[in-house]
C-alpha cells in the first residue's frame, strides 16, 4: 500500500505540469471557440451609427453564408492557390532533403545552404508581399527587364490577370515555407536506419528505387504531418493576398480567400455572419484534414 501511495504522489506532478497548458488552452482557444459558435446564432452588426442586435436568429446566418454564393468561390480560390504553392514546395523539399541526407554526394558547406534555404521563412509575409508588389508593378523592374529583352512591347499588367495573381501568391507561399518543410523532411530522412540503404545498395537497387521504395514509405508520418499542417495554413491564407491586392481580391475576386472574406465581416462589425463563417471554416478544415489523413494512411491491399 505504501508503494502504491508513493506512485500516486509522483503522478500528481504530471497533472500539475499540465495546468499551464490547460489554462492557456481554456482562455485563448476553448472560450473564444465557444464564444464564436454562440455569436453565430445572433444578428449583431452596426448600420451607420445604429447598433442592430444582438438578436437571436437561429441558423439564419448559416443560411445567408450558403445562399449568397460567395463561400464556394472563395473556397475554390483558396484551394487553387494552396495547391499551386504546395506541389512545387513538397517536390523541392523532397529533392533538397534527399540531397542533403545522401552521404555519397559529400556536399560541402551544408550548414550554409541549410541556413540560406530556411531564411525566407523568417521574413514577414507582409514584407514578401510588398516586395513582389513592387517587383511586378506596371512600372516595376520585372516589366522593365521583360520590355528591354523584347518579351513584351509594353508593360504587362500582372495584377490584372487572375492566373498571374494566383501564381504570385502561390510562389510567395512556396518560397516562404519550402525551407521549413525541407528541415522537417530531412529530420525524417535522418531517422531512417542507414543499414536499410546499405542493404538495398548491396542488392543492386538504384538511387531512384531506394528513394521510392524505402525513403518515401518510411517518411509517410512526416509527409502526413506536413500535408495536414500545410492544408490548415493554406485555408488560413490571408496576409500575402491581402497586401498584394490591397484587400480587394482582384481581379474579379479571383484571389479572395476565406480569411479575407471573414475579415470583411469583422471589419464591418457583422459578428453574426463572421461567427457562422468561422464555424463553416472549422468544419471544412476538419473534414479536409480527415480526408488527407485517411488517404495518406490507407494501406495497400
Amino acid at each position: 500500500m505504501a508503494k502504491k501511495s508513493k506512485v500516486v504522489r509522483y503522478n500528481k506532478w504530471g497533472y500539475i505540469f499540465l495546468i499551464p497548458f490547460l489554462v492557456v488552452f481554456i482562455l485563448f482557444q476553448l472560450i473564444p471557440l465557444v464564444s464564436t459558435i454562440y455569436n453565430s446564432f445572433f444578428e449583431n452588426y452596426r448600420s451607420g451609427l445604429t447598433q442592430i442586435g444582438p438578436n437571436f436568429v437561429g441558423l439564419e446566418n448559416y443560411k445567408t453564408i450558403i445562399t449568397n454564393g460567395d463561400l464556394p468561390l472563395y473556397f475554390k480560390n483558396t484551394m487553387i492557390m494552396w495547391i499551386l504553392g504546395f506541389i512545387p514546395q513538397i517536390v523541392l523539399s523532397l529533392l533538397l532533403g534527399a540531397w542533403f541526407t545522401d552521404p555519397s554526394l559529400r556536399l560541402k558547406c551544408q550548414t550554409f545552404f541549410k541556413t540560406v534555404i530556411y531564411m525566407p521563412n523568417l521574413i514577414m509575409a507582409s514584407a514578401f508581399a510588398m516586395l513582389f508588389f513592387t517587383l511586378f508593378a506596371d512600372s516595376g523592374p520585372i516589366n522593365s527587364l521583360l520590355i528591354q529583352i523584347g518579351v513584351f512591347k509594353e508593360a504587362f499588367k500582372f495584377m490584372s490577370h487572375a492566373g498571374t495573381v494566383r501564381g504570385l501568391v502561390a510562389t510567395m507561399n512556396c518560397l516562404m515555407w519550402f525551407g521549413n518543410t525541407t528541415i522537417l523532411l530531412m529530420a525524417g530522412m535522418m531517422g531512417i536506419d542507414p543499414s536499410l540503404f546499405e542493404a538495398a545498395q548491396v542488392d543492386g537497387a538504384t538511387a531512384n528505387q531506394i528513394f521510392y521504395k524505402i525513403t518515401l514509405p518510411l517518411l509517410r508520418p512526416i509527409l502526413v504531418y506536413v500535408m495536414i499542417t500545410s492544408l490548415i495554413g493554406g485555408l488560413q491564407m490571408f496576409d500575402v493576398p491581402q497586401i498584394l491586392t490591397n484587400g480587394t481580391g482582384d481581379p474579379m475576386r479571383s484571389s479572395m480567400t476565406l480569411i479575407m472574406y471573414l475579415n470583411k465581416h469583422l471589419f464591418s462589425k457583422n459578428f453574426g455572419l463572421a461567427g457562422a463563417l468561422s464555424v463553416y471554416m472549422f468544419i471544412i478544415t476538419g473534414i479536409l484534414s480527415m480526408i488527407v489523413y485517411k488517404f495518406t494512411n490507407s494501406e495497400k491491399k
Side-chain angles (χ1 to χ4, degrees):
M1 293 296 294
K3 186 175 181 180
K4 183 177 179 181
S5 62
K6 186 177 181 180
V7 172
V8 171
R9 286 199 299 271
Y10 281 134
N11 286 346
K12 71 178 182 180
W13 291 105
Y15 296 105
I16 292 174
F17 288 135
L18 284 173
I19 290 176
F21 165 76
L22 291 174
V23 171
V24 172
F25 175 77
I26 292 173
L27 289 178
F28 298 103
Q29 294 191 25
L30 185 59
I31 292 178
L33 177 62
V34 174
S35 176
T36 299
I37 297 174
Y38 175 79
N39 287 324
S40 68
F41 296 108
F42 287 84
E43 179 186 47
N44 187 8
Y45 63 95
R46 185 179 293 276
S47 177
L49 298 178
T50 305
Q51 176 64 36
I52 307 298
N55 303 317
F56 181 78
V57 292
L59 298 176
E60 192 61 34
N61 289 323
Y62 293 91
K63 294 178 182 178
T64 301
I65 292 292
I66 291 295
T67 55
N68 62 16
D70 290 334
L71 182 63
L73 173 62
Y74 300 148
F75 173 72
K76 183 186 74 172
N77 294 341
T78 305
M79 292 304 297
I80 288 175
M81 289 187 287
W82 172 71
I83 292 172
L84 288 176
F86 179 74
I87 292 177
Q89 172 190 328
I90 195 67
V91 171
L92 183 60
S93 298
L94 281 171
L95 184 62
L96 290 173
W99 282 350
F100 285 129
T101 56
D102 189 347
S104 63
L105 295 178
R106 299 178 182 177
L107 296 177
K108 297 181 179 180
C109 304
Q110 288 196 29
T111 303
F112 170 76
F113 289 115
K114 291 175 185 176
T115 303
V116 169
I117 64 176
Y118 190 77
M119 284 183 65
N121 187 249
L122 304 177
I123 302 175
M124 293 180 61
S126 56
F128 241 115
M130 286 301 299
L131 173 63
F132 270 64
F133 181 82
T134 304
L135 288 175
F136 291 90
D138 294 349
S139 58
I142 298 297
N143 262 318
S144 299
L145 178 62
L146 293 175
I147 292 174
Q148 288 178 5
I149 63 178
V151 177
F152 297 126
K153 293 182 179 180
E154 58 182 16
F156 181 80
K157 298 183 181 298
F158 287 95
M159 300 303 168
S160 299
H161 297 80
T164 54
V165 172
R166 288 172 174 174
L168 290 176
V169 173
T171 301
M172 281 185 275
N173 285 324
C174 177
L175 291 176
M176 284 191 299
W177 291 105
F178 86 94
N180 181 71
T181 305
T182 301
I183 298 299
L184 290 173
L185 295 179
M186 284 177 57
M189 292 176 183
M190 293 173 66
I192 299 174
D193 190 352
S195 62
L196 295 174
F197 301 120
E198 295 171 1
Q201 290 174 347
V202 170
D203 290 338
T206 64
N208 288 334
Q209 289 174 331
I210 292 174
F211 180 75
Y212 287 109
K213 299 295 184 180
I214 296 177
T215 305
L216 277 184
L218 294 178
L219 270 182
R220 179 177 292 179
I222 301 296
L223 287 172
V224 172
Y225 171 79
V226 168
M227 290 185 66
I228 291 179
T229 53
S230 177
L231 173 63
I232 295 173
L235 290 173
Q236 296 176 352
M237 191 186 306
F238 171 72
D239 37 14
V240 169
Q242 173 77 11
I243 296 173
L244 189 67
T245 65
N246 197 25
T248 62
D250 286 337
M252 299 295 292
R253 301 185 299 168
S254 60
S255 60
M256 179 75 71
T257 65
L258 289 173
I259 296 295
M260 292 172 66
Y261 182 39
L262 173 63
N263 184 65
K264 286 187 175 296
H265 288 310
L266 293 174
F267 187 77
S268 62
K269 306 295 184 182
N270 199 329
F271 300 115
L273 286 178
L277 179 58
S278 299
V279 174
Y280 275 127
M281 290 189 60
F282 177 78
I283 295 172
I284 291 172
T285 302
I287 292 174
L288 291 179
S289 298
M290 288 178 61
I291 292 173
V292 170
Y293 180 79
K294 291 292 185 182
F295 178 76
T296 53
N297 279 277
S298 59
E299 296 292 337
K300 294 183 178 180
K301 297 183 179 180

